[in-house]
Amino acid sequence: KKKKKVVQVHSQVSVQFCIFRACSVFLNDVFFILVTPLDVIKTRLQAQSNPFSKGKCFVYSSGLMDHIHVCENGDSKAWYKKPGHFKGMLDAFVKIIQIEGIRSLWSGLPPTLIMALPATVIYFTCYDQLSEALKSRLGKDNEHIPVLAGSLSRVGSVTVVSPLELIRTRMQYRRLSYKQLYACISSEVAVDGWFSLWRGWSSTVLRDVPFSALYWHNYERFKKMLCKEAGVHEPTFFIAFTSGVASGSIAAVITQPFDVVKTRTQTELWTRETSEIPQGGCPSAWAVTRKIITQNGITGLFAGIIPRLSKVAPACAIMISSYEYGKSFFSHLNEKMNQRP
């Protein structure tokens, strides 16, 4: 009878874990939706000052995920090329709503949501599992656990998603059928090897791994400090939200040079691919860094820090507060179910 009860409890925990994971993915998509207008406005302002030509690449970011967009034509049909005379962010926000309607603020969102699903599931699942495994080996209060779990889970997520992002971008630009795409990838792998599917991986890892390590380390510290000040054992929504904003902002500022290098590396990579004249291989992160410093100085490595902070800070806060709330809810539900006779 006792064994039967243990099996039932284990089954309940598994179901709750799956529900929680689904909720995490849903809430992750929610904050992607909330911060999308910021990047739509940024892209429109960028296109206004430097019109996008065919083959030109730009990065579309939701705060925690980036996607390369390759301009397809020279007219103004695409959302990122619609004409407008904006004086700034607030002016663009008002005019886009007045002239094009509020739905235009969420242009280009579907590809982000499609890529967010596998990335979120892999990232959170790996972080949860690695945290528990490390706690059993290193001790529950070891300060290195968030750093190790955050870094390793981000490496896993980036490694899986990078080929998918490359394939998605290639399909978007060349409009290939699945058969043509398979032939294209097969020929590329035959010439350059399997590692050709992970072009740009190193620059992404260079930014995302330090960001994840810094974020989780600072978040756990801020959370413990605020819980101690408030005299509570579990973080409230406000504590999680505040800790998320602070840790996300710190990580975003420190890793901003990596973000600039990553963006430049990816855009150069795709500009070369879409160029009619074939060029050399993928530029190294160090070569891109030297080029940025030569052209713009050290300050060039911190270009776009304000727009990035305005997206990353709220995205991190919404993500972690929703994550903590869901974890607390299902933990208490599990305790109640275990107490039943």
Side-chain angles (χ1 to χ4, degrees):
K1 188 176 180 181
K2 187 177 180 181
K3 187 176 180 181
K4 187 177 180 182
K5 185 179 179 181
V6 171
V7 173
Q8 288 176 342
V9 170
H10 178 74
S11 177
Q12 290 165 358
V13 171
S14 298
V15 171
Q16 291 164 16
F17 183 80
C18 291
I19 294 171
F20 172 58
R21 186 62 53 228
C23 290
S24 297
V25 173
F26 172 75
L27 292 169
N28 192 60
D29 289 348
V30 168
F31 73 68
F32 279 139
I33 293 169
L34 290 174
V35 300
T36 292
L38 294 172
D39 211 59
V40 169
I41 291 170
K42 183 212 75 173
T43 303
R44 294 289 294 275
L45 288 170
Q46 181 184 352
Q48 177 180 276
S49 58
N50 297 294
F52 296 142
S53 57
K54 184 177 180 181
K56 177 79 173 179
C57 304
F58 66 90
V59 175
Y60 181 88
S61 172
S62 60
L64 294 178
M65 285 195 71
D66 302 333
H67 299 298
I68 292 289
H69 276 257
V70 185
C71 299
E72 301 171 24
N73 48 50
D75 56 32
S76 60
K77 291 180 181 179
W79 67 267
Y80 48 82
K81 290 186 179 181
K82 289 182 179 178
H85 301 284
F86 310 126
K87 298 176 182 177
M89 185 171 283
L90 183 60
D91 183 55
F93 182 81
V94 173
K95 285 183 178 178
I96 288 173
I97 293 176
Q98 288 178 341
I99 299 171
E100 303 172 27
I102 196 167
R103 290 178 61 184
S104 289
L105 291 174
W106 283 269
S107 301
L109 181 62
T112 303
L113 293 180
I114 291 170
M115 297 305 296
L117 181 62
T120 305
V121 170
I122 295 166
Y123 183 52
F124 276 105
T125 302
C126 288
Y127 183 79
D128 284 338
Q129 297 299 312
L130 285 169
S131 293
E132 292 303 316
L134 290 169
K135 283 176 184 177
S136 64
R137 289 176 176 270
L138 304 177
K140 189 176 180 181
D141 298 322
N142 193 298
E143 292 185 354
H144 296 101
I145 290 174
V147 176
L148 291 171
S151 300
L152 293 173
S153 57
R154 182 57 73 183
V155 169
S157 175
V158 170
T159 302
V160 172
V161 172
S162 285
L164 299 178
E165 176 67 7
L166 183 141
I167 290 168
R168 186 199 66 80
T169 308
R170 188 163 289 170
M171 287 186 73
Q172 172 216 336
Y173 177 68
R174 296 186 180 178
R175 298 186 178 277
L176 301 173
S177 65
Y178 288 107
K179 188 175 181 180
Q180 291 172 325
L181 180 66
Y182 176 77
C184 177
I185 292 174
S186 297
S187 61
E188 187 169 318
V189 168
V191 175
D192 300 322
W194 285 101
F195 287 109
S196 61
L197 296 178
W198 279 270
R199 284 177 180 163
W201 177 88
S202 59
S203 59
T204 304
V205 167
L206 187 64
R207 182 201 66 174
D208 287 0
V209 170
F211 179 93
S212 191
L214 287 165
Y215 173 75
W216 286 108
H217 174 72
N218 287 314
Y219 172 75
E220 293 295 342
R221 293 192 66 178
F222 286 136
K223 184 178 73 172
K224 286 179 182 178
M225 183 179 67
L226 292 174
C227 283
K228 188 177 180 180
E229 290 289 329
V232 295
H233 296 291
E234 290 185 355
T236 61
F237 185 87
F238 176 76
I239 289 175
F241 193 92
T242 305
S243 301
V245 168
S247 55
S249 299
I250 292 170
V253 171
I254 294 174
T255 60
Q256 179 62 19
F258 301 140
D259 183 65
V260 173
V261 172
K262 171 189 173 295
T263 301
R264 183 73 69 89
T265 302
Q266 287 190 325
T267 52
E268 282 191 18
L269 171 65
W270 278 101
T271 300
R272 290 183 181 194
E273 172 143 341
T274 57
S275 175
E276 293 181 3
I277 303 173
Q279 300 182 39
C282 179
S284 68
W286 176 240
V288 172
T289 303
R290 285 187 300 175
K291 185 177 179 181
I292 293 170
I293 294 174
T294 302
Q295 293 177 342
N296 309 108
I298 295 294
T299 55
L301 294 174
F302 291 89
I305 183 66
I306 300 301
R308 187 172 183 234
L309 268 176
S310 67
K311 289 179 291 183
V312 171
C316 287
I318 294 168
M319 176 195 72
I320 202 63
S321 53
S322 303
Y323 171 80
E324 290 286 6
Y325 177 80
K327 189 165 67 173
S328 176
F329 175 81
F330 285 108
S331 176
H332 290 147
L333 181 64
N334 185 47
E335 287 178 6
K336 289 180 181 179
M337 296 180 86
N338 287 340
Q339 290 171 1
R340 290 179 183 176

